[in-house]
Amino acid sequence: MAKERIYLDWNATAPLLDEARTAMLDALVLSGNPSSVHQEGRAARAMIETARRQVADLVGAAPANVIFASSATEAANHVLTPHLRMGRAPLAASRLYVSAIEHPAVRLGGRFDAEAMSEITVLPSGIVDLAALEASLNAHPREAGLPMVAIMLANNETGIVQPVAEAARLVHAHGGLLVVDAVQAAGRMPIDITALDADFIILSAHKLGGPKGAGALVARGETLMPVPLIRGGGQEKGHRGGTENLAAIAGFGVAAALAAKDIEPRNAAIRALRDRLENGMRKASPDVVIHGSGVERLANTCFFTLPGLKAETGQIAFDLEGLALSAGAACSSGKGGESHVLNAMGLDAKTGGLRLSLGPATDAAMIDRAVEIFGKIGARRGLSGKAA
């Protein structure tokens, strides 16, 4: 009898929570348009506003400052723009500074031209180089417009937590704006938009156990906002046109509410399993390189390289053994190429890396089986003298 498959790819997407599914089904039977003023419309609107409050609570924001979108990618393209408003007055951001380890949705710069973008290097540890950021901000021509800086809270490949609050102090001292991709961090570490001093935070539903196809842009205040990416009927207070995806938003809200509960004890349990996994991996293959193990990481993430095993080949090998993982970011898996994150850290990225990511449903038996599979693939690599 075939053994059950092991899912250790929670950073790519978390399985849909039963509670989120129930909320979505409840939403699907509502017939009203959330913009309608009749009873049916008000019922739909109430469901959206409940979800808005739940998402806001996850990051310590005001509900009025949550803008729902179809994805975190859309939210990134919305906020990464030279064109903003302070109330009704136009405000220009003349250059975007992006850390070298950002997700592709941010690295591409949204609505900024490539000529108006600069990359901020990271240290070999995988942490953003704050000295390099400060040097770039010092050189920024303030008369041309504001600097906008994008730094993620936790890297999607390595799980390394970035010094966002420290970066915010530098950015705001130079009159700039800070955009934080918190997609991987949300629900995996406590987040408070005020404590981080971020101007905008980007979130995604399906990383939390909500549905695919829902994201949010969360602002620190109501006054400073990007010019809308999608114009239409004035939904989301005019910030994002189009009738809201009620079912996806309802599922997002419930997932966010559950993710906000018991983060620390959940993290402790997951971290213990991650440590068990990595200890087993090191014992099975002492030459394994676990990236970011010497700095603060998300409790659930293990990004590793096995010398001689190419990431794409390894991903297939693990899958055939019944273990689901990613070769780097899920959006890039299967596309080949080097890891831009490893490149940014000054490492040889030709082999690439494999990412194991755990979740609340992961248990010790899964971890022990994963170590067994890892050992098998590592030994096969050694015996053949080639990539497994």
Side-chain angles (χ1 to χ4, degrees):
M1 181 180 295
K3 294 183 179 179
E4 286 190 17
R5 287 184 58 81
I6 303 166
Y7 187 79
L8 294 182
D9 202 16
W10 289 69
N11 284 9
T13 195
L16 183 66
L17 292 166
D18 291 340
E19 296 88 342
R21 182 184 296 106
T22 298
M24 295 175 70
L25 292 173
D26 290 343
L28 288 172
V29 301
L30 289 181
S31 56
N33 187 310
S35 296
S36 297
V37 297
H38 48 57
Q39 181 176 329
E40 290 81 1
R42 293 197 305 274
R45 172 56 53 192
M47 186 169 283
I48 287 178
E49 296 312 316
T50 295
R52 198 184 309 279
R53 185 177 66 254
Q54 291 168 322
V55 171
D57 287 346
L58 179 63
V59 295
N65 299 340
V66 174
I67 303 166
F68 287 116
S70 66
S71 63
T73 295
E74 184 195 316
N77 279 268
H78 182 183
V79 70
L80 299 177
T81 176
H83 309 294
L84 302 106
R85 289 189 177 276
M86 180 66 76
R88 295 186 178 183
L91 190 67
S94 59
R95 179 161 288 273
L96 175 65
Y97 300 89
V98 180
S99 88
I101 56 171
E102 296 299 305
H103 186 280
V106 173
R107 286 184 79 214
L108 290 175
R111 290 182 273 176
F112 279 90
D113 293 334
E115 296 77 15
M117 292 177 59
S118 297
E119 185 174 88
I120 303 300
T121 58
V122 301
L123 302 170
S125 62
I127 295 174
V128 171
D129 188 341
L130 294 181
L133 171 62
E134 186 171 24
S136 293
L137 292 171
N138 284 336
H140 178 81
R142 182 67 176 79
E143 66 279 3
L146 302 176
M148 179 180 283
V149 177
I151 297 177
M152 63 198 338
L153 184 51
N155 184 257
N156 51 303
E157 292 191 14
T158 63
I160 294 173
V161 177
Q162 301 300 317
V164 167
E166 292 88 339
R169 283 194 285 273
L170 295 174
V171 173
H172 293 145
H174 288 80
L177 304 173
L178 180 64
V179 177
V180 176
D181 170 1
V183 167
Q184 291 297 343
R188 294 174 182 146
M189 61 182 287
I191 299 175
D192 185 285
I193 191 169
T194 302
L196 290 176
D197 204 16
D199 295 290
F200 299 97
I201 284 180
I202 298 168
L203 299 172
S204 176
H206 75 99
K207 308 295 187 179
L208 301 167
K212 304 172 186 69
L217 175 65
V218 184
R220 187 172 53 177
E222 291 187 74
T223 305
L224 173 65
M225 294 299 299
V227 170
L229 175 67
I230 298 177
R231 300 177 183 273
Q235 291 86 353
E236 297 297 288
K237 294 185 177 180
H239 297 303
R240 200 272 188 184
T243 300
E244 298 91 340
N245 185 343
L246 182 59
I249 290 171
F252 188 1
V254 169
L258 292 172
K261 294 180 179 179
D262 303 320
I263 290 179
E264 294 297 354
R266 186 169 65 241
N267 270 351
I270 291 175
R271 183 178 292 106
L273 289 173
R274 200 268 313 274
D275 290 348
R276 179 174 180 149
L277 170 67
E278 292 182 350
N279 289 336
M281 292 166 62
R282 290 188 179 101
K283 184 176 180 180
S285 294
D287 60 341
V288 66
V289 179
I290 298 176
H291 303 290
S293 60
V295 296
E296 184 183 0
R297 287 181 291 163
L298 294 177
N300 79 317
T301 304
C302 170
F303 188 51
F304 70 93
T305 296
L306 263 176
L309 178 66
K310 290 186 176 180
E312 294 86 351
T313 305
Q315 185 177 26
I316 295 170
F318 278 98
D319 188 47
L320 291 173
E321 292 290 342
L323 194 157
L325 47 60
S326 284
C331 61
S332 301
S333 277
K335 298 179 183 177
E338 301 175 358
S339 165
H340 75 278
V341 175
L342 293 181
N343 267 329
M345 293 168 66
L347 299 172
D348 181 2
K350 293 181 180 178
T351 298
L354 292 166
R355 184 187 65 192
L356 293 157
S357 48
L358 290 60
T362 307
D363 60 30
M366 295 177 187
I367 293 300
D368 292 344
R369 175 63 180 147
V371 170
E372 180 184 338
I373 292 170
F374 174 86
K376 181 178 180 180
I377 291 173
R380 192 163 67 220
R381 167 201 56 147
L383 289 171
S384 66
K386 301 177 181 179

